[in-house]
Amino acid sequence: MKKQRAFLKWAGGKYELVDTIRRYLPEGEQLIEPFVGAGSVFLNTNFKNYILADINHDLIALFNLLKSKPDLFINDLKLLFNRQNNQAEAFYQLRDVFNGSKDQYLRSLLFVYLNRHCYNGLCRYNNSGKFNVPFGRYKTIYFPEKELYFFAEKAQNAQFICAPYQKVMKKAKQNSVIYCDPPYLSPNESAGFTAYYSNNFGFEEHKKLSQLAEKIAYKNDIPVLVSNHYTDYTKTLYNKASYLYRAEMRRSISCAGEGRKKIDEILALYKKS
């Protein structure tokens, strides 16, 4: 199966780890992802249907629009991808338009524009809910047309919802499989990348997530796979899992290319034997 890239750049995206995740994901009819992000696992698996969720309203609204109006949306989006808009002044003007707009269609177009033009493709909002990632200064910008169309086609078998993970995981029925890709704890277990959209996802939330995974798997007989950094803390955190797997993945932990190093990842599978 040829690997498909997401049309969005995404911190913590799972494109590089997809083959490993596929190997450990149990079979089922439906895949539920409470932290869908850019959707690399969704795009590279073959379940009959999907429930894909995130707490980022802009992200879910974008996915629903692309699913329902792919041709119109992609053609309108293309108009934003030109040399003139790949300049700092235009970027900050369009970022201001995004932050001031309540028009969801316009926000969705600008969300993709900002994602492809901002620094490192980060998605970050300030305490007032304003997108605040600076201009990325790329020489050229790739317009992900074929990735957009692939996503839109596959999305016909998916339901996108904006909801917290607890609510999403409770939607699982027999023949569902759950894959959780929460904002990771940092490899050195200090602050790290736990600020996700407008909520913090710290130690307490990771603990609650592991307990919910355990309950759903062992009481309801619905398998749950969770990923995170491989550390002494996460090995303890997931010690009730049926299986713990270790995988290596290149992660950007420095903005300089030479600062990028491989950090081991943990995949914890909760599954009733």
Side-chain angles (χ1 to χ4, degrees), residues 27-33 47 49-51 159 161 167-178 216-217 219-224:
E27 289 183 3
E29 291 189 2
Q30 178 186 71
L31 180 66
I32 297 177
E33 290 194 64
F47 289 82
N49 60 78
Y50 296 81
I51 295 177
Q159 178 190 358
I161 53 175
K167 193 173 172 185
V168 179
M169 289 171 77
K170 284 170 186 170
K171 290 180 177 289
K173 300 185 174 78
Q174 290 305 310
N175 286 322
S176 295
V177 177
I178 300 173
I216 288 174
K219 287 192 178 172
N220 302 354
D221 196 13
I222 293 164
V224 182

Short mmCIF file of all heavy atoms in Angstrom, two decimals, residues 27-33 47 49-51 159 161 167-178 216-217 219-224:
data_model
loop_
_atom_site.label_atom_id
_atom_site.label_comp_id
_atom_site.label_asym_id
_atom_site.label_seq_id
_atom_site.Cartn_x
_atom_site.Cartn_y
_atom_site.Cartn_z
N GLU A 27 -7.64 -5.60 13.93
CA GLU A 27 -8.63 -5.51 12.85
C GLU A 27 -9.98 -5.13 13.43
O GLU A 27 -10.27 -5.38 14.60
CB GLU A 27 -8.73 -6.85 12.12
CG GLU A 27 -7.51 -7.15 11.27
CD GLU A 27 -7.66 -8.45 10.51
OE1 GLU A 27 -8.73 -9.08 10.59
OE2 GLU A 27 -6.69 -8.84 9.82
N GLY A 28 -10.81 -4.51 12.60
CA GLY A 28 -12.15 -4.13 13.00
C GLY A 28 -12.86 -3.47 11.83
O GLY A 28 -12.28 -3.33 10.76
N GLU A 29 -14.10 -3.08 12.05
CA GLU A 29 -14.85 -2.43 10.97
C GLU A 29 -14.71 -0.91 11.01
O GLU A 29 -14.82 -0.26 10.00
CB GLU A 29 -16.33 -2.83 11.05
CG GLU A 29 -16.57 -4.29 10.71
CD GLU A 29 -18.05 -4.62 10.59
OE1 GLU A 29 -18.88 -3.72 10.74
OE2 GLU A 29 -18.33 -5.81 10.35
N GLN A 30 -14.49 -0.40 12.22
CA GLN A 30 -14.48 1.06 12.39
C GLN A 30 -13.25 1.49 13.18
O GLN A 30 -12.92 0.89 14.19
CB GLN A 30 -15.74 1.49 13.14
CG GLN A 30 -15.83 2.98 13.42
CD GLN A 30 -17.04 3.29 14.28
OE1 GLN A 30 -17.08 2.97 15.47
NE2 GLN A 30 -18.05 3.90 13.68
N LEU A 31 -12.58 2.53 12.69
CA LEU A 31 -11.47 3.12 13.44
C LEU A 31 -11.94 4.44 14.04
O LEU A 31 -12.51 5.28 13.35
CB LEU A 31 -10.26 3.36 12.56
CG LEU A 31 -9.04 3.98 13.28
CD1 LEU A 31 -8.47 3.02 14.33
CD2 LEU A 31 -7.95 4.39 12.30
N ILE A 32 -11.69 4.61 15.34
CA ILE A 32 -12.01 5.85 16.04
C ILE A 32 -10.70 6.52 16.44
O ILE A 32 -9.86 5.90 17.09
CB ILE A 32 -12.88 5.59 17.28
CG1 ILE A 32 -14.23 4.97 16.85
CG2 ILE A 32 -13.10 6.86 18.08
CD1 ILE A 32 -15.14 4.60 18.00
N GLU A 33 -10.55 7.78 16.03
CA GLU A 33 -9.36 8.55 16.41
C GLU A 33 -9.81 9.80 17.17
O GLU A 33 -10.32 10.74 16.56
CB GLU A 33 -8.57 8.96 15.17
CG GLU A 33 -7.85 7.83 14.47
CD GLU A 33 -6.83 8.36 13.47
OE1 GLU A 33 -5.87 9.01 13.92
OE2 GLU A 33 -7.02 8.16 12.26
N PHE A 47 -10.26 0.81 7.04
CA PHE A 47 -11.44 0.41 7.79
C PHE A 47 -12.68 0.78 6.98
O PHE A 47 -12.63 1.66 6.12
CB PHE A 47 -11.45 1.10 9.16
CG PHE A 47 -10.39 0.58 10.10
CD1 PHE A 47 -9.08 1.03 10.02
CD2 PHE A 47 -10.70 -0.39 11.05
CE1 PHE A 47 -8.10 0.54 10.87
CE2 PHE A 47 -9.72 -0.88 11.91
CZ PHE A 47 -8.42 -0.41 11.81
N ASN A 49 -15.39 2.28 8.04
CA ASN A 49 -15.78 3.66 8.35
C ASN A 49 -14.96 4.17 9.54
O ASN A 49 -14.30 3.40 10.24
CB ASN A 49 -17.28 3.78 8.59
CG ASN A 49 -17.76 2.94 9.74
OD1 ASN A 49 -17.59 3.29 10.90
ND2 ASN A 49 -18.36 1.78 9.44
N TYR A 50 -15.04 5.48 9.72
CA TYR A 50 -14.19 6.16 10.70
C TYR A 50 -14.99 7.18 11.50
O TYR A 50 -15.90 7.83 10.96
CB TYR A 50 -13.07 6.92 9.98
CG TYR A 50 -12.09 6.06 9.23
CD1 TYR A 50 -12.40 5.58 7.95
CD2 TYR A 50 -10.86 5.73 9.78
CE1 TYR A 50 -11.50 4.79 7.24
CE2 TYR A 50 -9.95 4.94 9.08
CZ TYR A 50 -10.28 4.47 7.81
OH TYR A 50 -9.39 3.69 7.12
N ILE A 51 -14.63 7.33 12.78
CA ILE A 51 -15.06 8.48 13.57
C ILE A 51 -13.77 9.22 13.92
O ILE A 51 -12.90 8.67 14.62
CB ILE A 51 -15.83 8.09 14.85
CG1 ILE A 51 -17.15 7.40 14.50
CG2 ILE A 51 -16.10 9.33 15.72
CD1 ILE A 51 -17.94 6.90 15.71
N GLN A 159 -16.83 10.26 9.69
CA GLN A 159 -17.61 11.26 10.42
C GLN A 159 -16.61 12.09 11.23
O GLN A 159 -15.81 11.54 11.99
CB GLN A 159 -18.61 10.56 11.36
CG GLN A 159 -19.43 11.51 12.20
CD GLN A 159 -20.24 10.78 13.28
OE1 GLN A 159 -20.21 9.56 13.37
NE2 GLN A 159 -20.93 11.54 14.09
N ILE A 161 -15.94 14.95 14.04
CA ILE A 161 -16.62 15.63 15.15
C ILE A 161 -15.62 16.40 16.01
O ILE A 161 -14.48 15.97 16.20
CB ILE A 161 -17.43 14.64 16.04
CG1 ILE A 161 -16.56 13.47 16.51
CG2 ILE A 161 -18.66 14.12 15.32
CD1 ILE A 161 -17.28 12.53 17.48
N LYS A 167 -15.46 11.77 25.37
CA LYS A 167 -16.77 11.65 24.71
C LYS A 167 -16.65 10.81 23.44
O LYS A 167 -17.52 9.99 23.13
CB LYS A 167 -17.26 13.08 24.37
CG LYS A 167 -18.70 13.16 23.97
CD LYS A 167 -19.11 14.62 23.82
CE LYS A 167 -20.49 14.75 23.23
NZ LYS A 167 -20.85 16.15 22.98
N VAL A 168 -15.56 11.00 22.73
CA VAL A 168 -15.35 10.29 21.46
C VAL A 168 -15.12 8.80 21.70
O VAL A 168 -15.71 7.94 21.03
CB VAL A 168 -14.13 10.90 20.71
CG1 VAL A 168 -13.89 10.16 19.40
CG2 VAL A 168 -14.35 12.38 20.45
N MET A 169 -14.30 8.48 22.69
CA MET A 169 -13.99 7.06 22.96
C MET A 169 -15.22 6.28 23.41
O MET A 169 -15.33 5.08 23.17
CB MET A 169 -12.86 6.96 23.99
CG MET A 169 -11.51 7.40 23.43
SD MET A 169 -10.19 7.56 24.64
CE MET A 169 -9.76 5.85 24.94
N LYS A 170 -16.16 6.98 24.03
CA LYS A 170 -17.38 6.31 24.50
C LYS A 170 -18.33 5.96 23.35
O LYS A 170 -19.32 5.26 23.55
CB LYS A 170 -18.06 7.16 25.56
CG LYS A 170 -17.33 7.08 26.90
CD LYS A 170 -17.81 8.08 27.92
CE LYS A 170 -16.94 8.03 29.18
NZ LYS A 170 -17.19 9.13 30.10
N LYS A 171 -18.03 6.45 22.15
CA LYS A 171 -18.85 6.11 20.98
C LYS A 171 -18.50 4.73 20.41
O LYS A 171 -19.18 4.23 19.53
CB LYS A 171 -18.66 7.17 19.88
CG LYS A 171 -19.27 8.52 20.22
CD LYS A 171 -19.04 9.51 19.09
CE LYS A 171 -19.70 10.85 19.39
NZ LYS A 171 -21.18 10.79 19.32
N ALA A 172 -17.44 4.15 20.91
CA ALA A 172 -16.98 2.86 20.38
C ALA A 172 -17.98 1.74 20.65
O ALA A 172 -18.53 1.63 21.75
CB ALA A 172 -15.63 2.51 20.98
N LYS A 173 -18.20 0.93 19.62
CA LYS A 173 -19.09 -0.25 19.75
C LYS A 173 -18.27 -1.48 19.40
O LYS A 173 -17.10 -1.38 19.05
CB LYS A 173 -20.27 -0.11 18.79
CG LYS A 173 -21.13 1.13 19.06
CD LYS A 173 -22.36 1.12 18.14
CE LYS A 173 -23.31 2.26 18.46
NZ LYS A 173 -22.88 3.55 17.93
N GLN A 174 -18.91 -2.66 19.47
CA GLN A 174 -18.23 -3.88 19.07
C GLN A 174 -17.77 -3.72 17.62
O GLN A 174 -18.46 -3.13 16.80
CB GLN A 174 -19.17 -5.09 19.20
CG GLN A 174 -19.47 -5.44 20.64
CD GLN A 174 -18.22 -5.68 21.49
OE1 GLN A 174 -17.34 -6.44 21.10
NE2 GLN A 174 -18.12 -5.03 22.64
N ASN A 175 -16.60 -4.24 17.30
CA ASN A 175 -15.96 -4.11 15.98
C ASN A 175 -15.34 -2.74 15.74
O ASN A 175 -14.90 -2.43 14.64
CB ASN A 175 -16.92 -4.45 14.82
CG ASN A 175 -17.16 -5.94 14.72
OD1 ASN A 175 -16.24 -6.73 14.94
ND2 ASN A 175 -18.39 -6.34 14.42
N SER A 176 -15.31 -1.88 16.80
CA SER A 176 -14.55 -0.63 16.71
C SER A 176 -13.14 -0.87 17.22
O SER A 176 -12.90 -1.75 18.05
CB SER A 176 -15.18 0.47 17.58
OG SER A 176 -16.45 0.84 17.12
N VAL A 177 -12.20 -0.08 16.72
CA VAL A 177 -10.83 -0.05 17.20
C VAL A 177 -10.51 1.42 17.46
O VAL A 177 -10.91 2.28 16.67
CB VAL A 177 -9.85 -0.62 16.14
CG1 VAL A 177 -8.41 -0.52 16.62
CG2 VAL A 177 -10.19 -2.05 15.79
N ILE A 178 -9.82 1.72 18.56
CA ILE A 178 -9.50 3.11 18.89
C ILE A 178 -7.99 3.32 18.80
O ILE A 178 -7.21 2.52 19.34
CB ILE A 178 -9.99 3.47 20.31
CG1 ILE A 178 -11.51 3.29 20.42
CG2 ILE A 178 -9.61 4.91 20.67
CD1 ILE A 178 -12.06 3.46 21.83
N ILE A 216 -12.06 0.66 28.62
CA ILE A 216 -12.76 0.36 27.37
C ILE A 216 -12.29 -0.98 26.79
O ILE A 216 -13.08 -1.77 26.28
CB ILE A 216 -12.58 1.51 26.36
CG1 ILE A 216 -13.42 2.72 26.80
CG2 ILE A 216 -12.96 1.10 24.94
CD1 ILE A 216 -13.23 3.97 25.98
N ALA A 217 -10.98 -1.23 26.90
CA ALA A 217 -10.45 -2.48 26.34
C ALA A 217 -10.86 -3.70 27.15
O ALA A 217 -11.32 -4.70 26.59
CB ALA A 217 -8.92 -2.39 26.26
N LYS A 219 -13.12 -3.97 29.87
CA LYS A 219 -14.54 -4.13 30.26
C LYS A 219 -15.45 -4.24 29.05
O LYS A 219 -16.42 -4.99 29.05
CB LYS A 219 -14.99 -2.97 31.15
CG LYS A 219 -14.41 -3.04 32.56
CD LYS A 219 -15.08 -2.06 33.50
CE LYS A 219 -14.52 -2.20 34.91
NZ LYS A 219 -15.01 -1.15 35.81
N ASN A 220 -15.16 -3.45 28.01
CA ASN A 220 -16.05 -3.43 26.83
C ASN A 220 -15.53 -4.27 25.66
O ASN A 220 -16.18 -4.35 24.63
CB ASN A 220 -16.25 -1.98 26.35
CG ASN A 220 -16.83 -1.09 27.42
OD1 ASN A 220 -17.19 -1.57 28.49
ND2 ASN A 220 -16.94 0.20 27.14
N ASP A 221 -14.32 -4.81 25.82
CA ASP A 221 -13.71 -5.65 24.77
C ASP A 221 -13.54 -4.89 23.46
O ASP A 221 -13.83 -5.39 22.38
CB ASP A 221 -14.56 -6.92 24.56
CG ASP A 221 -13.79 -7.99 23.80
OD1 ASP A 221 -12.56 -7.84 23.67
OD2 ASP A 221 -14.42 -8.96 23.32
N ILE A 222 -13.05 -3.64 23.57
CA ILE A 222 -12.76 -2.82 22.38
C ILE A 222 -11.28 -2.43 22.46
O ILE A 222 -10.87 -1.76 23.41
CB ILE A 222 -13.66 -1.56 22.34
CG1 ILE A 222 -15.12 -1.98 22.12
CG2 ILE A 222 -13.21 -0.61 21.24
CD1 ILE A 222 -16.13 -0.92 22.44
N PRO A 223 -10.45 -2.88 21.52
CA PRO A 223 -9.02 -2.61 21.61
C PRO A 223 -8.67 -1.13 21.45
O PRO A 223 -9.31 -0.41 20.66
CB PRO A 223 -8.41 -3.44 20.47
CG PRO A 223 -9.52 -3.79 19.57
CD PRO A 223 -10.80 -3.71 20.34
N VAL A 224 -7.66 -0.70 22.21
CA VAL A 224 -7.21 0.69 22.16
C VAL A 224 -5.68 0.70 22.02
O VAL A 224 -4.98 0.06 22.81
CB VAL A 224 -7.59 1.47 23.44
CG1 VAL A 224 -7.16 2.94 23.34
CG2 VAL A 224 -9.09 1.38 23.72
#
